[in-house]
Amino acid sequence: MASSILTNASAMTALKSLNMTNKALETTQTRISTGYKVGEASDNAAYWSIATTMRSDNKALSTVKDALGLGMAKVDTAYTGMNAAIDVVDEIKTKLVAASEPGVDQLKIDKELSALKEQLISITSSASFSGENWLANDGAVGTKSIVGSFTRDSAGFVSIGTLDVDVNAITLTSSDDAANGILTKDIDADALQANPTGTADNYFLLNTGSTTAATGTEITLTGTNTGEEISAMVRAVDSILTQLTDAAADLGASKKRIDMQNTFVSNLMDTIDKGVGGLVDADMSAESTRLQALQVQQQLGIQSLSIANGNSQQILSLFRG
């Protein structure tokens, strides 16, 4: 190979190799310092785009999780109130059965009934969370929706799913129409007999001053109630108790569904995090090994460049006598 003082091919090759090593070393050091092998779009546009979208979706799922927590609190509040109401109505039923005994002072029992009714009103009006009361209704009956999911289809379109609770089925009192509340509506005691007469015998438990009041007789003791009247009241209260139990079962099912969805969303967020990590996170063990190798290559490159630059000095020896 010809010797030249104008062109040092060996030095050029060594310099190019050293520059490549320095660039690779810089990349590795960036990955170690940031923890990402794909930290920006220029690293890998496809992976960066996927990761950015999925991180955004995970933020939306985090909001869904918060909404599920709020929904669970509302259902829990209604469920607690419903269970308390069941206990009180069960006690009312017991008092009415006791009132059917001959010679019992009905008026004293009625005082107990009045206290139990006041307790029912207190329970119903107190079962409120975040300004919403699903048991004491002011006429805005219907379905309550709880945000339960955030999904993205294969075409990239997003949608929000909800878990619905039928408040109509669990309303205990209604200030609008007494017929909308389990505790305020008329119950036909005649229809609850083994052999109904066909003549309606309506009773209701609470009078909360609904705009449209019940038309039957309030369940109360006057001191002169006959055994047949008390039996009719017991049948009506037993029907109310059955309806409360069914409503509590509905709330329990909603509570279980929300809890399951909450667990699913949490697991889904973890899975997405793992998936994104697999795309863009740096393998620190591999990067550490690569760093050490590149540092050695850098040192050898510098030495190689030094040797190549020294070759020019050897040409001077050719001109020495």
Side-chain angles (χ1 to χ4, degrees), residues 22-296:
N22 287 339
K23 185 175 181 180
L25 187 60
E26 181 183 353
T27 299
T28 299
Q29 288 173 332
T30 299
R31 290 178 178 177
I32 291 174
S33 63
T34 63
Y36 292 118
K37 66 181 178 182
V38 180
E40 52 188 30
S42 59
D43 295 330
N44 187 314
Y47 283 2
W48 179 86
S49 176
I50 293 172
T52 300
T53 300
M54 296 314 296
R55 287 193 187 107
S56 176
D57 287 355
N58 241 15
K59 288 181 181 179
L61 285 173
S62 178
T63 303
V64 169
K65 195 170 184 298
D66 292 340
L68 285 169
L70 180 61
M72 174 65 82
K74 292 177 182 178
V75 172
D76 273 340
T77 301
Y79 185 77
T80 300
M82 190 67 71
N83 274 341
I86 288 174
D87 291 339
V88 175
V89 172
D90 189 40
E91 186 68 17
I92 290 175
K93 177 181 172 183
T94 301
K95 297 299 180 183
L96 287 173
V97 171
S100 64
E101 281 288 325
V104 171
D105 190 339
Q106 294 183 4
L107 293 179
K108 289 183 178 179
I109 293 179
D110 186 64
K111 290 181 179 180
E112 294 182 280
L113 292 180
S114 296
L116 291 171
K117 288 180 183 181
E118 289 297 325
Q119 180 62 17
L120 275 178
I121 294 174
S122 176
I123 289 171
T124 305
S125 61
S126 300
S128 176
F129 186 90
S130 187
E132 287 194 45
N133 190 328
W134 294 357
L135 303 185
N137 210 288
D138 60 0
V141 294
T143 299
K144 296 293 184 179
S145 296
I146 300 168
V147 174
S149 64
F150 174 87
T151 57
R152 182 184 299 276
D153 63 19
S154 58
F157 296 106
V158 298
S159 60
I160 297 174
T162 60
L163 305 178
D164 298 329
V165 178
D166 183 10
V167 179
N168 287 320
I170 62 173
T171 298
L172 300 187
T173 63
S174 174
S175 60
D176 178 42
D177 188 347
N180 292 329
I182 297 175
L183 301 179
T184 55
K185 66 182 179 181
D186 287 319
I187 305 293
D188 185 1
D190 179 70
L192 299 173
Q193 296 188 91
N195 298 301
T197 64
T199 301
D201 188 14
N202 292 325
Y203 286 90
F204 63 90
L205 184 58
L206 296 181
N207 181 4
T208 57
S210 303
T211 302
T212 303
T215 58
T217 302
E218 183 176 356
I219 295 175
T220 186
L221 298 174
T222 62
T224 57
N225 296 100
T226 65
E228 289 77 11
E229 289 175 337
I230 295 177
S231 293
M233 293 181 192
V234 170
R235 291 195 301 273
V237 170
D238 185 67
S239 175
I240 291 171
L241 192 59
T242 298
Q243 293 177 57
L244 291 177
T245 303
D246 291 341
D250 290 341
L251 282 171
S254 297
K255 181 179 177 182
K256 180 65 175 178
R257 185 183 177 193
I258 293 173
D259 185 56
M260 291 174 65
Q261 184 66 12
N262 193 36
T263 300
F264 169 72
V265 170
S266 295
N267 293 337
L268 181 60
M269 291 174 65
D270 290 343
T271 300
I272 291 175
D273 278 338
K274 291 178 183 177
V276 171
L279 290 177
V280 301
D281 288 357
D283 184 342
M284 301 306 284
S285 297
E287 296 301 334
S288 176
T289 302
R290 186 177 294 110
L291 177 65
Q292 295 179 32
L294 288 172
Q295 287 173 337
V296 172

Side-chain angles (χ1 to χ4, degrees), residues 8 10-16 18 299-311:
N8 190 335
S10 297
M12 293 171 63
T13 301
L15 180 60
K16 183 178 181 181
L18 180 60
Q299 294 172 11
L300 291 174
I302 293 172
Q303 186 174 358
S304 176
L305 181 59
S306 178
I307 293 172
N309 286 331
N311 290 337

